[in-house]
C-alpha cells in the first residue's frame, strides 16, 4: 500500500508504521462516479457519498453497489464540471478507495471542499424553510 499523507503516522494490522503523503480531509458530500461499461460501448454514472479527500485520492461510500469499476472518473460539480480520472486501490464491503491518476493541487482540493460546504449550507437553509415559505405565501392570500 502506498503512502497518502505526509507526516501522519498510520499503523497497519501487521504493526508496520508508514507516513502518509497527503492529509486526508474528512468530508461528507455527494460526487458523481462515471465509468465505462460493456467494454467502452456505454458510460454509466451514479452518485455516491465521499468520505475523505486528499490531493492523491479519495474514499467513497458505495453501499451495496456491485458495479465498482477498476478505472473511473469523479465529477465534483454539475454535469459541466471537470472529470478527474481515478483508479481503484482498495474495496471494502461498503466503500472504495481510489487514487487520482495525477495528484490535484491543494488549492483545488480546498476549493472543492469550500464549494461543497457552501452548496450544502445553501441547500439546508432552503430545505428547512421551504414549507414555512409556502405556508406564509399562501397565508398572505387569506382575508
Amino acid at each position: 500500500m502506498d503512502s497518502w499523507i505526509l507526516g501522519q503516522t498510520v499503523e497497519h494490522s501487521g504493526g508496520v508504521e508508514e507516513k502518509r503523503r497527503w492529509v486526508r480531509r474528512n468530508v461528507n458530500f455527494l460526487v458523481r462516479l462515471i465509468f465505462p461499461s460493456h467494454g467502452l460501448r456505454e458510460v454509466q454514472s451514479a452518485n455516491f457519498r465521499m468520505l475523505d479527500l486528499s490531493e492523491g485520492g479519495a474514499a467513497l461510500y458505495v453501499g451495496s453497489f456491485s458495479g465498482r469499476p477498476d478505472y473511473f472518473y469523479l465529477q465534483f460539480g454539475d454535469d459541466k464540471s471537470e472529470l478527474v480520472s481515478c483508479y481503484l486501490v482498495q474495496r471494502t464491503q461498503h466503500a472504495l478507495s481510489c487514487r487520482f491518476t495525477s495528484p490535484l493541487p491543494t488549492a483545488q482540493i480546498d476549493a472543492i471542499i469550500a464549494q461543497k460546504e457552501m452548496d450544502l449550507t445553501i441547500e439546508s437553509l432552503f430545505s428547512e424553510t421551504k414549507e414555512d415559505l409556502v405556508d406564509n405565501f399562501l397565508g398572505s392570500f387569506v382575508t
Side-chain angles (χ1 to χ4, degrees):
M1 181 174 164
D2 288 328
S3 301
W4 277 31
I5 302 179
L6 182 60
Q8 182 177 3
T9 302
V10 177
E11 188 170 323
H12 298 284
S13 59
V16 177
E17 291 184 3
E18 68 178 76
K19 302 281 185 178
R20 296 192 180 273
R21 189 168 176 193
W22 291 290
V23 174
R24 290 186 191 177
R25 296 153 181 94
N26 291 324
V27 296
N28 184 11
F29 54 76
L30 293 178
V31 294
R32 179 174 290 138
L33 188 141
I34 301 170
F35 56 96
S37 63
H38 298 100
L40 295 175
R41 291 178 287 174
E42 290 182 25
V43 175
Q44 295 184 343
S45 69
N47 292 328
F48 295 107
R49 184 142 317 271
M50 181 163 281
L51 303 173
D52 69 47
L53 177 63
S54 75
E55 287 80 351
L60 303 168
Y61 176 79
V62 295
S64 61
F65 177 67
S66 62
R68 296 176 281 198
D70 291 332
Y71 183 81
F72 53 91
Y73 296 93
L74 285 179
Q75 193 170 39
F76 293 98
D78 61 12
D79 291 341
K80 298 173 187 168
S81 64
E82 175 185 2
L83 298 176
V84 177
S85 62
C86 308
Y87 59 93
L88 185 69
V89 292
Q90 181 180 7
R91 296 178 199 215
T92 65
Q93 184 177 2
H94 298 291
L96 63 83
S97 296
C98 65
R99 178 139 320 124
F100 303 141
T101 55
S102 297
L104 300 178
T106 300
Q108 185 175 359
I109 296 295
D110 292 342
I112 289 168
I113 293 170
Q115 181 63 49
K116 288 294 190 175
E117 287 176 351
M118 184 171 54
D119 292 348
L120 289 172
T121 301
I122 291 169
E123 184 178 305
S124 70
L125 290 173
F126 288 104
S127 66
E128 291 176 9
T129 59
K130 186 179 358 177
E131 289 180 15
D132 292 338
L133 291 172
V134 170
D135 289 342
N136 288 341
F137 176 73
L138 294 175
S140 67
F141 292 104
V142 177
T143 56

